[in-house]
C-alpha cells in the first residue's frame, strides 16, 4: 500500500482477537479483531507506517488475522506461538450493540525494538492481563523518552479482575500517556457515579495532554488544560458498533500525526493545543467511527472514505 505520509513510525503493542460474531438464525462469522490490532489496521489504512507487536497462535484464526493486518500494510511481530489465538464470541443486539465472551491468554514476552518508534499506542486487555501486561508497561516506559504514548483502557469487565486493582492498573497507564481515550461506559465501570467530565479532569491531572471521551450517539468530548471541547456524532445508519472506539482512536492519531504532534519533538506542542485544533482532531475521530459503525465488523475507513465522511461534518 502506498503511504500518503512521511510522518512518524507508529508502534502498537497489544492483543489480536478473532471475533466470532453470532447473530440469531445465522451461522457464526469470524472477523479479525482485538482493540490494539484494530487501531493498527485503521492507522495503516489511513496511510501510516505501523508495526503491531502482538500474540498469535499457529492456527487458522492466527493466519486469518495476520493476513488481514498485512493486507493493509501492517508489519506484524509476534512471539513463537505458545497458545491458541485469542478469541471472543461477539453477540449483537437488535441495535447492533456488541457484548463479548472471551477465551484469551496474554503471555507476550519482551523484545527489543530495532528502531525506536515516534509514537506508541497500547491499551485494552494487553495493558491489564498478566503476565503479558508487565511486558507492555515495561516497553512503554522504556520508549516514552523518544515517543509519545496513547492509551485506551477499552474495559472488558470480565477480564479486569479485582475492581480496585484494575483501577490502579488503568491509572498507571494513564500516567504514562500523552493521549488517553475512553468511552463513557469504560469510565462508568471504573468510577461508578462519577461524570465522564469529572473523571477526564482527574486523569488530565495525572499527566496526559488530552483525555478524550466517546459518548456513542452523543458525540465526544476532549478535556485539555484549556478546558473542554465537544463535538456531535456524525449521523449515520448503524449496522453494528464493533470497532467503533478503535476507529475513533486511529482517527485521532491520524489527525495528530498530520499536524506533527506525535513524537518527542511534537510533545511540547501537544500540551499547548488550542480548542480549534482539538475540535478538528475530534471531528476526524468521530468521522472515522461513523464510517465503521455503518458497516459490519471492525472495518475502519481508508483515506478517501475518511475525507468523504469529514465533508459531511
Amino acid at each position: 500500500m502506498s503511504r500518503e505520509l512521511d510522518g512518524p513510525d507508529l508502534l502498537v503493542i497489544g492483543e489480536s482477537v478473532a471475533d466470532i460474531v453470532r447473530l440469531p438464525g445465522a451461522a457464526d462469522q469470524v472477523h479479525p479483531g482485538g482493540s490494539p490490532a484494530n487501531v493498527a489496521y485503521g492507522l495503516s489504512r489511513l496511510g501510516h507506517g505501523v508495526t503491531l507487536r502482538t500474540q498469535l497462535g499457529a492456527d487458522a484464526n492466527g493466519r486469518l488475522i495476520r493476513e488481514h493486518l498485512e493486507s493493509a500494510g501492517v508489519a506484524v511481530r509476534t512471539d513463537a506461538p505458545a497458545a491458541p489465538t485469542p478469541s471472543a464470541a461477539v453477540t449483537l443486539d437488535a441495535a447492533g450493540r456488541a457484548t463479548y465472551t472471551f477465551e484469551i491468554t496474554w503471555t507476550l514476552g519482551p523484545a527489543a525494538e530495532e528502531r525506536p518508534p515516534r509514537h506508541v499506542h497500547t491499551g485494552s486487555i494487553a495493558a491489564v492481563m498478566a503476565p503479558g501486561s508487565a511486558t507492555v508497561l515495561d516497553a512503554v516506559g522504556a520508549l516514552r523518552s523518544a515517543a509519545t504514548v496513547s492509551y485506551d483502557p477499552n474495559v472488558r469487565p470480565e477480564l479486569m479482575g479485582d475492581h480496585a486493582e484494575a483501577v490502579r492498573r488503568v491509572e498507571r497507564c494513564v500516567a504514562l500517556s500523552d493521549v488517553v481515550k475512553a468511552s463513557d461506559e469504560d469510565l462508568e465501570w471504573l468510577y461508578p457515579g462519577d461524570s465522564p467530565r469529572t473523571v477526564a479532569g482527574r486523569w488530565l491531572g495525572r499527566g496526559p495532554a488530552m483525555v478524550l471521551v466517546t459518548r456513542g450517539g452523543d458525540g465526544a468530548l476532549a478535556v485539555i488544560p484549556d478546558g473542554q471541547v465537544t463535538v456531535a456524532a456524525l449521523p449515520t445508519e448503524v449496522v453494528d458498533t464493533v470497532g467503533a472506539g478503535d476507529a475513533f482512536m486511529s482517527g485521532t492519531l491520524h489527525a495528530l500525526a498530520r499536524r506533527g504532534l506525535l513524537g518527542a519533538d511534537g510533545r511540547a506542542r501537544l500540551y499547548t493545543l488550542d480548542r480549534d485544533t482539538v475540535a478538528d482532531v475530534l471531528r476526524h475521530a468521530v468521522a472515522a467511527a461513523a464510517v465503521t459503525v455503518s458497516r459490519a465488523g471492525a472495518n475502519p475507513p481508508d483515506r478517501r472514505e475518511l475525507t468523504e465522511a469529514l465533508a459531511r461534518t
Side-chain angles (χ1 to χ4, degrees):
M1 174 180 287
S2 63
R3 295 291 175 223
E4 176 190 65
L5 305 173
D6 295 325
D9 296 317
L10 306 176
L11 172 66
V12 179
I13 309 176
E15 75 274 5
S16 300
V17 179
D19 288 337
I20 304 168
V21 179
R22 291 177 175 158
L23 296 168
D28 289 352
Q29 300 179 25
V30 181
H31 299 283
S35 177
N38 290 342
V39 173
Y41 183 76
L43 285 166
S44 194
R45 281 178 61 80
L46 290 172
H48 299 272
V50 186
T51 297
L52 174 66
R53 178 94 168 83
T54 192
Q55 181 177 310
L56 294 172
D59 50 33
N61 286 341
R63 291 189 294 274
L64 172 71
I65 291 171
R66 182 182 291 276
E67 290 170 2
H68 167 74
L69 292 165
E70 291 178 345
S71 73
V74 178
V76 181
R77 294 179 54 208
T78 63
D79 296 334
T85 299
S87 65
V90 184
T91 303
L92 302 176
D93 66 13
R97 292 184 294 264
T99 57
Y100 297 81
T101 304
F102 293 92
E103 292 186 13
I104 182 169
T105 59
W106 180 242
T107 59
L108 190 72
E113 298 303 322
E114 296 177 1
R115 182 164 63 95
R118 289 176 56 83
H119 183 81
V120 181
H121 173 75
T122 193
S124 193
I125 298 163
V128 296
M129 177 177 279
S133 58
T135 299
V136 173
L137 294 183
D138 286 348
V140 171
L143 293 168
R144 194 178 188 283
S145 62
T148 42
V149 176
S150 56
Y151 169 65
D152 175 6
N154 192 40
V155 169
R156 300 302 185 209
E158 59 269 45
L159 299 175
M160 299 295 284
D162 176 75
H163 183 270
E165 177 57 28
V167 171
R168 285 191 289 271
R169 289 195 301 265
V170 167
E171 291 178 346
R172 283 200 298 270
C173 294
V174 169
L176 285 170
S177 302
D178 301 290
V179 178
V180 176
K181 170 261 169 189
S183 70
D184 51 4
E185 293 177 346
D186 293 337
L187 300 185
E188 175 59 28
W189 186 87
L190 290 164
Y191 308 98
D194 289 355
S195 73
R197 172 65 180 85
T198 297
V199 176
R202 286 205 306 264
W203 279 7
L204 193 74
R206 292 181 173 272
M210 63 173 65
V211 178
L212 313 179
V213 181
T214 59
R215 302 184 295 177
D218 293 326
L221 68 88
V223 177
I224 58 175
D226 192 36
Q228 177 177 313
V229 180
T230 61
V231 298
L234 188 62
T236 190
E237 183 175 345
V238 176
V239 174
D240 69 48
T241 62
V242 177
D246 305 324
F248 183 99
M249 189 77 249
S250 58
T252 296
L253 296 177
H254 172 70
L256 293 173
R258 288 179 63 86
R259 290 177 174 269
L261 295 168
L262 300 183
D265 55 352
R267 179 175 276 132
R269 287 182 294 124
L270 186 61
Y271 279 75
T272 58
L273 296 183
D274 61 78
R275 295 185 184 210
D276 287 343
T277 300
V278 174
D280 182 64
V281 170
L282 286 178
R283 282 192 290 270
H284 279 74
V286 298
V291 174
T292 303
V293 302
S294 71
R295 52 202 190 193
N299 188 2
D302 60 20
R303 296 189 299 269
R304 177 186 58 79
E305 291 169 328
L306 180 59
T307 299
E308 292 173 353
L310 283 167
R312 293 173 20 226
T313 66

